[in-house]
């Protein structure tokens, strides 16, 4: 089926789904995830009471896109009354998590014993903090695909790890109590303190894990560009999301070249033909998805005003220029073509005279 036969998609379905709590935006590196997640958060802020956008990519770009400094504390975005942003590193140290030194040292040992649980526990603490803030919707600007998939698996990783630890309670609970009494440690490092913290974290993780797998509460937006590697990475991402039971029904294809009436470059024409081949494949693979195409621009989209201006392409399909312009534009174009023709004729004349001399 040709792309011309398929109606253009938008992200209106996400804006209209007022039950959504978590919106993840991800894809291959360099496809424009941060720009897309920022614009999504701006659009959501227009229909929601409060929105938080979180960057979980260690190479944070939110500050660059909004042209405003963000930290690990939610900060109100300039020009908004209900849009907040924060940049966090999922691999935070135990010092950032906070808590009793003795308990933290035990958690450090625990993280070494169960692969991936350290990152999972940091993620859990961040989600626990976010949930207490009462935001209507939370948008995640995620790291490139591999890191994102691991991040989405963290709730399950932690849930399994904590179940394993809790199952050892009957075997080692008494031993912990005896050791704390023997060394004269206070109740803060006792069995109840440790198990209480584990139980609290387990409750948060079970709740989040359940929410992530609920399509009414969570969705994942795949961002890509019309090239082979990005198509391959998107398919891998969609397959992995299906495995972890996370809903996804939106694909944003960025940096699309449109056949504008004034495009004459052979390179651009060749790139358009290549892109069309992969666009057809995207539509074939994801015929039941909302596919939004975004144009490649001659400049970067940074700053709130630029983001707002570009956001119109998210809610109504981009329309390439097909008009021939004003009479002055046509006359200017004819004049340029005449000059090109004169130059070509002069060059041809020189070649003919050169052959006659020989």
């Amino acid at each position: 089926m040709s792309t011309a036969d398929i109606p253009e998609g938008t992200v209106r379905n996400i804006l209209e789904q007022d039950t959504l709590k978590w919106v993840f935006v991800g894809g291959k590196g360099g496809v424009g995830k941060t720009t897309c997640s920022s614009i999504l958060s701006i659009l959501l802020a227009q229909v929601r009471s409060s929105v938080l956008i979180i960057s979980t990519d260690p190479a944070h770009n939110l500050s660059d896109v909004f042209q405003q400094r963000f930290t690990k504390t939610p900060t109100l975005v300039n020009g908004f009354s209900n849009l907040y942003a924060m940049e966090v590193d999922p691999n935070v140290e135990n010092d950032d998590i906070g808590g009793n030194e003795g308990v933290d040292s035990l958690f450090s040992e625990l993280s070494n014993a169960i692969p991936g649980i350290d990152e999972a526990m940091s993620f859990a603490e961040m989600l626990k903090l976010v949930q207490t803030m009462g935001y209507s919707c939370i948008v995640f600007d995620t790291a490139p695909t591999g890191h994102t998939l691991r991040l989405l698996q963290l709730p399950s990783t932690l849930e399994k790890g904590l179940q394993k630890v809790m199952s050892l309670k009957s075997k080692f609970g008494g031993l912990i109590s005896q050791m704390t009494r023997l060394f004269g440690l206070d109740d803060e490092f006792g069995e109840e303190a440790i198990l209480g913290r584990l139980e609290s974290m387990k409750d948060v993780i079970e709740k989040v894990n359940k929410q992530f797998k609920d399509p009414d509460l969570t969705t994942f937006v795949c961002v890509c560009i019309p090239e082979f590697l990005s198509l391959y990475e998107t398919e891998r991402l969609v397959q992995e999301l299906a495995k972890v039971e996370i809903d996804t029904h939106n694909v944003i294809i960025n940096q699309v070249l449109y056949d504008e009436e004034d495009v004459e470059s052979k390179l651009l024409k060749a790139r358009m033909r290549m892109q069309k081949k992969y666009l057809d494949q995207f539509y074939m693979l994801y015929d039941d998805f909302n596919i939004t195409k975004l144009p490649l621009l001659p400049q970067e989209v940074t700053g709130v005003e630029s983001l707002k201006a570009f956001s119109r392409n998210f809610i109504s399909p981009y329309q390439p220029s097909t008009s021939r312009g004003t009479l002055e534009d046509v006359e200017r174009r004819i004049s340029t073509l005449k000059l090109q023709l004169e130059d070509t004729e002069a060059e041809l004349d020189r070649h003919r005279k050169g052959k006659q001399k020989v």
Side-chain angles (χ1 to χ4, degrees):
M1 183 182 288
S2 171
T3 55
D5 301 326
I6 301 172
E8 294 286 357
T10 66
V11 298
R12 285 183 183 274
N13 61 307
I14 293 174
L15 304 179
E16 292 168 359
Q17 190 176 339
D18 54 12
T19 57
L20 276 178
K21 173 76 174 176
W22 313 94
V23 179
F24 289 88
V25 181
K28 189 176 178 292
V31 297
K33 295 185 299 295
T34 302
T35 301
C36 290
S37 59
S38 300
I39 289 175
L40 260 178
S41 67
I42 287 173
L43 292 172
L44 282 165
Q46 295 173 6
V47 295
R48 297 296 192 94
S49 58
S50 60
V51 177
L52 173 67
I53 178 169
I54 302 176
S55 171
T56 60
D57 187 345
H60 299 300
N61 291 313
L62 271 186
S63 295
D64 298 324
V65 169
F66 280 105
Q67 296 181 339
Q68 180 183 346
R69 177 74 180 135
F70 298 122
T71 63
K72 59 184 179 181
T73 303
T75 305
L76 187 65
V77 178
N78 292 336
F80 294 88
S81 60
N82 64 337
L83 176 59
Y84 298 79
M86 63 188 287
E87 295 178 333
V88 297
D89 185 353
N91 302 300
V92 295
E93 299 296 325
N94 284 328
D95 293 343
D96 292 332
I97 295 176
N100 180 272
E101 184 181 344
V103 177
D104 285 339
S105 65
L106 175 73
F107 273 64
S108 179
E109 292 298 321
L110 179 63
S111 69
N112 293 329
I114 305 173
I117 202 172
D118 54 341
E119 193 176 13
M121 290 168 82
S122 301
F123 189 53
E125 289 286 353
M126 190 249 312
L127 291 177
K128 190 175 179 181
L129 173 68
V130 165
Q131 282 201 314
T132 61
M133 296 175 180
Y135 291 100
S136 171
C137 186
I138 297 151
V139 179
F140 284 89
D141 171 38
T142 67
T145 308
H147 186 90
T148 300
L149 291 173
R150 198 165 84 251
L151 191 71
L152 292 171
Q153 291 165 355
L154 293 184
S156 296
T157 301
L158 186 52
E159 195 171 347
K160 289 173 185 175
L162 292 180
Q163 283 173 354
K164 186 176 181 180
V165 172
M166 298 302 288
S167 69
L168 298 174
K169 176 182 175 181
S170 57
K171 294 182 180 179
F172 298 104
L175 178 61
I176 293 173
S177 297
Q178 290 177 22
M179 292 295 284
T180 53
R181 284 196 297 270
L182 180 64
F183 289 103
L185 298 172
D186 56 28
D187 292 339
E188 289 182 356
F189 189 51
E191 176 189 356
E192 292 303 320
I194 296 167
L195 295 177
R197 183 166 173 182
L198 288 173
E199 281 283 8
S200 172
M201 196 167 287
K202 185 170 179 286
D203 290 342
V204 172
I205 282 300
E206 283 178 348
K207 183 180 178 183
V208 167
N209 208 13
K210 190 174 180 181
Q211 288 186 5
F212 279 7
K213 293 179 179 181
D214 186 344
D216 290 332
L217 297 172
T218 304
T219 193
F220 197 105
V221 179
C222 303
V223 182
C224 55
I225 56 177
E227 293 181 7
F228 171 74
L229 287 177
S230 189
L231 173 65
Y232 173 81
E233 196 96 336
T234 303
E235 179 58 15
R236 174 178 163 234
L237 179 58
V238 169
Q239 296 289 343
E240 291 295 328
L241 289 170
K243 286 181 185 177
V244 293
E245 300 175 57
I246 292 179
D247 172 75
T248 177
H249 49 259
N250 277 80
V251 171
I252 295 176
I253 307 177
N254 198 16
Q255 301 177 18
V256 176
L257 287 165
Y258 283 86
D259 193 6
E260 309 275 358
E261 53 93 12
D262 57 346
V263 173
E264 296 178 356
S265 166
K266 289 182 179 179
L267 175 62
L268 288 179
K269 293 283 188 183
R271 295 288 296 180
M272 283 178 203
R273 287 193 295 272
M274 180 206 73
Q275 285 195 355
K276 186 181 183 306
K277 178 176 72 174
Y278 293 116
L279 284 169
D280 287 342
Q281 290 183 33
F282 270 110
Y283 279 100
M284 183 180 67
L285 282 168
Y286 309 112
D287 57 347
D288 56 342
F289 277 56
N290 293 285
I291 298 179
T292 306
K293 291 195 299 183
L294 302 176
L296 176 66
L297 299 182
Q299 73 283 341
E300 293 180 327
V301 182
T302 55
V304 172
E305 292 309 313
S306 293
L307 291 168
K308 284 182 176 178
F310 194 58
S311 70
R312 64 174 177 266
N313 299 311
F314 283 65
I315 52 179
S316 60
Y318 173 74
Q319 297 296 329
S321 172
T322 54
S323 65
R324 294 297 169 187
T326 63
L327 181 60
E328 288 181 1
D329 293 332
V330 175
E331 288 175 345
R332 193 182 303 115
R333 190 172 173 81
I334 291 171
S335 177
T336 302
L337 289 171
K338 281 181 178 178
L339 288 171
Q340 289 174 349
L341 181 61
E342 287 173 6
D343 289 341
T344 305
E345 287 176 341
E347 184 70 24
L348 183 61
D349 192 46
R350 283 195 295 271
H351 278 293
R352 284 172 178 165
K353 288 179 180 178
K355 283 184 179 180
Q356 287 174 358
K357 288 179 181 178
V358 173

